[in-house]
């Protein structure tokens, strides 16, 4: 009786495992490499508070070596992955202030990712703008000199400027 139960359990286990692998579930749940998209996004801020610009790029160097990929499916997948800011926030880029929130979107072909054995989660997330310095005001008259020479209707004007203190 125990031998019969053991054979029945073994047959049931083999049957379940083969149906999982044949249905393709194994490809998605067990063999895919899963990554959090936010962890591989490089964000760079530039400009001053109220005039800030954000740029986003990928930082996949820790998870993939593009030069050593053997599968064309996987190479194609990685080459088409990109980060961008949402359309709603694109209009604010160039006039960002500390405290503003920008929605970052990771775009990739999910079917190509499945073929390459890669899956990303958290593909939309919010970044809070911080660290922009206050803009400094300058009066151009303090850095420019106007020289006029000549006579009425035959004169020239020369503008001398020294903006070396800005660099």
């Amino acid at each position: 009786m125990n031998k019969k139960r053991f054979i029945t359990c073994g047959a049931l286990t083999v049957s379940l495992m083969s149906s999982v692998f044949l249905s393709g579930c194994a490809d998605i749940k067990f063999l895919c490499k899963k990554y959090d998209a936010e962890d591989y996004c490089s964000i760079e801020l530039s400009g001053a508070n109220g005039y800030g610009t954000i740029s986003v790029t990928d930082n996949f160097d820790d998870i993939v070596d593009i030069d050593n990929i053997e599968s064309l499916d996987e190479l194609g997948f990685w080459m088409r992955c990109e980060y961008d800011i949402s359309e709603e926030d694109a209009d604010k880029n160039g006039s960002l202030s500390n405290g503003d929130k920008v929605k970052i979107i990771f775009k990739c072909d999910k079917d190509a990712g499945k073929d390459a054995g890669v899956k990303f989660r958290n593909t939309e997330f919010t970044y809070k703008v911080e660290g922009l310095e206050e803009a400094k005001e300058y009066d151009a008259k303090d850095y420019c000199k106007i020289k006029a020479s000549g006579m009425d209707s035959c004169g020239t004007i020369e503008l001398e400027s020294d903006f070396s203190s800005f660099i």
Side-chain angles (χ1 to χ4, degrees):
M1 180 107 146
N2 285 339
K3 194 174 190 182
K4 197 175 196 182
R5 192 178 292 171
F6 177 75
I7 291 173
T8 304
C9 287
L12 183 62
T13 303
V14 169
S15 174
L16 281 170
M17 287 178 62
S18 63
S19 69
V20 166
F21 280 102
L22 291 175
S23 69
C25 292
D27 289 340
I28 297 170
K29 295 185 179 176
F30 302 117
L31 300 177
C32 279
K33 300 171 200 159
K34 297 177 184 170
Y35 301 105
D36 186 323
E38 187 173 3
D39 293 341
Y40 300 98
C41 179
S42 292
I43 298 173
E44 187 176 313
L45 292 172
S46 59
N49 192 23
Y51 305 95
T53 301
I54 189 170
S55 60
V56 291
T57 57
D58 65 70
N59 186 16
F60 297 136
D61 297 341
D62 294 341
I63 55 176
V64 66
D65 182 3
I66 296 289
D67 297 329
N68 291 323
I69 292 177
E70 294 178 12
S71 162
L72 288 177
D73 287 337
E74 187 175 0
L75 179 62
F77 169 75
W78 289 110
M79 298 301 287
R80 289 188 301 269
C81 291
E82 67 178 353
Y83 288 91
D84 205 354
I85 58 176
S86 68
E87 288 184 30
E88 304 89 49
D89 293 330
D91 292 339
K92 294 191 293 187
N93 205 11
S95 60
L96 293 171
S97 299
N98 290 327
D100 286 350
K101 293 182 179 179
V102 179
K103 185 176 181 182
I104 310 291
I105 301 170
F106 175 71
K107 299 174 186 174
C108 68
D109 183 340
K110 291 180 183 174
D111 292 333
K114 190 188 318 182
D115 293 343
V118 178
K119 184 175 183 178
F120 279 90
R121 65 176 186 80
N122 194 23
T123 56
E124 292 185 8
F125 53 93
T126 303
Y127 178 80
K128 184 176 179 182
V129 176
E130 295 176 334
L132 294 174
E133 294 183 15
E134 291 300 319
K136 298 175 183 169
E137 288 188 32
Y138 295 94
D139 189 344
K141 289 186 243 172
D142 296 338
Y143 300 94
C144 297
K145 292 181 185 172
I146 298 175
K147 287 187 176 180
S149 60
M151 300 175 69
D152 192 16
S153 75
C154 289
T156 59
I157 294 180
E158 185 179 332
L159 177 64
E160 290 181 0
S161 59
D162 181 14
F163 292 107
S164 60
S165 61
F166 292 114
I167 299 173

